[in-house]
Amino acid sequence: MADITALEAHFQNTIDQEIKIEPKDWMPDAYRKTLIRQISQHAHSEIVGMLPEGNWITRAPSLRRKVALLAKVQDEAGHGLYLYSACETLGVERNELVEQLHDGRAKYSSIFNYPTLTWADIGVIGWLVDGAAIMNQVPLCRCSYGPYARAMVRVCKEESFHQRQGYEILLTLSKGTEAQRRMLQDAVNRWWWPSLMMFGPNDADSPHTAQSMKWKIKRFTNDELRQKFVDVCVDQAKLLNVTLPDPDLKWNEERGHYDFGEINWDEFWQVVKGHGPCNKERIDTRRRAHEEGAWVREAAMAFAEKQARRRAEESSQVA
Ligand code: FAQ
């Protein structure tokens, strides 16, 4: 058996040369575990992320808006499925991942534990939540693990479409009545800080960033991505005629970036630990959907087994 240090050196060298790691390649246990953790949490986020917007499908203000929202929510389901598949290439069963979500062992993005109170929230989710997701996920297209990187390419294309549909909802509201403009500002006030939290804890408090950067799973740190996000949002907010709810937000000539205020990390960790406004409702809904969908999974399995038996019979007849 090859020496473990030599294997590790070869592995790191492969990554340093920007060659993708594929499922059958040797990889350190910790790399596999980190990927299973991140990809599965990402998949769960996509699936739970369908709920806040799903809440507005029946109440979208026009047929055009309803069709676009339906398609967006369906896309999120698709992203969850690509990601579960990418995760399964690391040798873990999807059932096990779903169980971890349902019994609270696995995390999903904090952002999906906030309620969608008005139609403007749907626009703001597209603008800020999909916007933050894109900022974080475009670099993941260059992640060292092949199946994750490839899944991200398609996900990012769809997310940028989502971001535009959200921004367009907001542009319309911004040119609307006084009440619509107030609704828009209120939604921005509620979603701005939770969107910044999506990037994770500050680098100094992030246990995984340094190693994930070395393995080129992450290409930028949490704080770097958060800063890029703040910088692009400021001009977009001006176009919408809204203010971002941060008195400390101001251009810093020396840094060439916007300075911004301190995030409420206590709120972040409360939400991550399950005590956000909608955590219980989200997980209860997922569990119920899983139980009620049991017959579909059973029917699909029975059909697949029948097909496999038929194919086996046919090939034995040919032989
Ligand atoms: N929420 O050391 P780090 C979307 C946890 S998809 C909850 O910095 P890491 C699409 C973290 O897991 C949104 N937990 O960890 C959509 C870790 O806990 P652990 C999801 C969080 O992994 C749009 C601990 O804190 N995107 O929006 C959060 O290096 C619209 C320490 O943190 C992804 O998952 C959080 N915000 O960096 C859908 C992208 N932040 O595991 C519907 C892929 C951190 O040790 C509608 N993931 N934690 O128990 C990543 O890029 C990374 O995993 C980070 C965290 C950046 C999220």
Side-chain angles (χ1 to χ4, degrees):
M1 200 180 120
D3 175 34
I4 192 91
T5 329
L7 284 170
E8 272 174 4
H10 175 73
F11 171 80
Q12 188 62 48
N13 192 30
T14 308
I15 288 177
D16 292 342
Q17 289 182 60
E18 299 290 338
I19 298 169
K20 296 275 177 249
I21 304 297
E22 297 297 338
K24 289 190 176 152
D25 294 342
W26 184 89
M27 61 185 83
D29 230 29
Y31 177 82
R32 188 185 298 277
K33 279 196 187 128
T34 292
L35 279 169
I36 292 176
R37 177 184 63 78
Q38 177 166 328
I39 303 174
S40 65
Q41 292 183 2
H42 193 167
H44 300 326
S45 303
E46 300 281 356
I47 299 296
V48 177
M50 295 165 73
L51 300 174
E53 288 172 290
N55 181 33
W56 276 87
I57 290 172
T58 54
R59 291 177 287 162
S62 70
L63 184 58
R64 175 172 169 261
R65 296 291 187 207
K66 193 193 288 271
V67 168
L69 184 59
L70 256 177
K72 177 185 194 292
V73 172
Q74 251 175 352
D75 284 350
E76 310 299 357
H79 300 173
L81 298 183
Y82 313 147
L83 286 164
Y84 283 129
S85 298
C87 203
E88 283 176 303
T89 64
L90 291 156
V92 60
E93 294 278 329
R94 188 175 309 200
N95 277 348
E96 197 183 323
L97 300 175
V98 172
E99 255 172 48
Q100 287 173 5
L101 171 70
H102 291 176
D103 67 21
R105 273 176 296 154
K107 295 191 171 73
Y108 58 90
S109 184
S110 49
I111 193 77
F112 302 116
N113 294 303
Y114 291 86
T116 40
L117 304 180
T118 70
W119 173 248
D121 290 24
I122 300 306
V124 170
I125 288 181
W127 174 36
L128 296 179
V129 177
D130 283 280
I134 293 166
M135 194 58 86
N136 165 273
Q137 286 167 206
V138 166
L140 291 175
C141 299
R142 293 190 294 119
C143 158
S144 57
Y145 187 57
Y148 191 27
R150 290 187 289 273
M152 279 299 109
V153 173
R154 179 159 175 185
V155 168
C156 284
K157 286 187 182 152
E158 292 177 353
E159 299 290 24
S160 42
F161 183 76
H162 297 168
Q163 202 254 1
R164 283 168 202 207
Q165 71 82 40
Y167 197 73
E168 201 242 329
I169 291 175
L170 299 184
L171 268 179
T172 308
L173 291 176
S174 75
K175 293 177 195 143
T177 62
E178 181 53 34
Q180 284 172 317
R181 287 199 294 273
R182 266 205 310 274
M183 183 167 79
L184 161 59
Q185 182 64 59
D186 170 65
V188 172
N189 292 348
R190 284 182 288 107
W191 288 89
W192 173 250
W193 289 105
S195 300
L196 297 192
M197 294 174 194
M198 285 176 73
F199 295 94
N202 284 336
D203 295 350
D205 300 316
S206 159
H208 302 301
T209 294
Q211 183 60 69
S212 288
M213 296 282 284
K214 189 159 176 247
W215 280 331
K216 298 189 196 280
I217 294 172
K218 284 167 109 165
R219 297 285 181 155
F220 295 96
T221 70
N222 300 354
D223 287 335
E224 285 167 347
L225 290 173
R226 190 168 12 247
Q227 180 70 64
K228 279 170 182 263
F229 179 68
V230 170
D231 290 346
V232 300
C233 285
V234 173
D235 283 340
Q236 295 171 350
K238 282 182 195 148
L239 268 178
L240 293 174
N241 232 340
V242 289
T243 49
L244 296 172
D246 179 357
D248 297 324
L249 187 69
K250 70 168 186 299
W251 179 250
N252 181 325
E253 194 61 48
E254 252 169 57
R255 294 200 311 122
H257 290 291
Y258 281 91
D259 288 337
F260 55 97
E262 179 66 13
I263 288 171
N264 182 344
W265 292 113
D266 184 46
E267 173 182 327
F268 170 74
W269 288 115
Q270 283 298 321
V271 175
V272 171
K273 285 181 191 149
H275 312 302
C278 300
N279 294 60
K280 186 174 176 323
E281 182 186 329
R282 299 289 184 242
I283 290 299
D284 286 352
T285 309
R286 281 310 319 153
R287 279 202 204 109
R288 200 168 53 247
H290 191 71
E291 279 159 23
E292 289 172 0
W295 69 271
V296 180
R297 292 191 296 281
E298 279 161 24
M301 282 305 287
F303 181 73
E305 278 161 18
K306 196 170 156 198
Q307 294 286 84
R309 265 201 309 278
R310 183 177 301 157
R311 268 197 299 275
E313 276 164 25
E314 279 168 7
S315 60
S316 71
Q317 277 163 15
V318 172

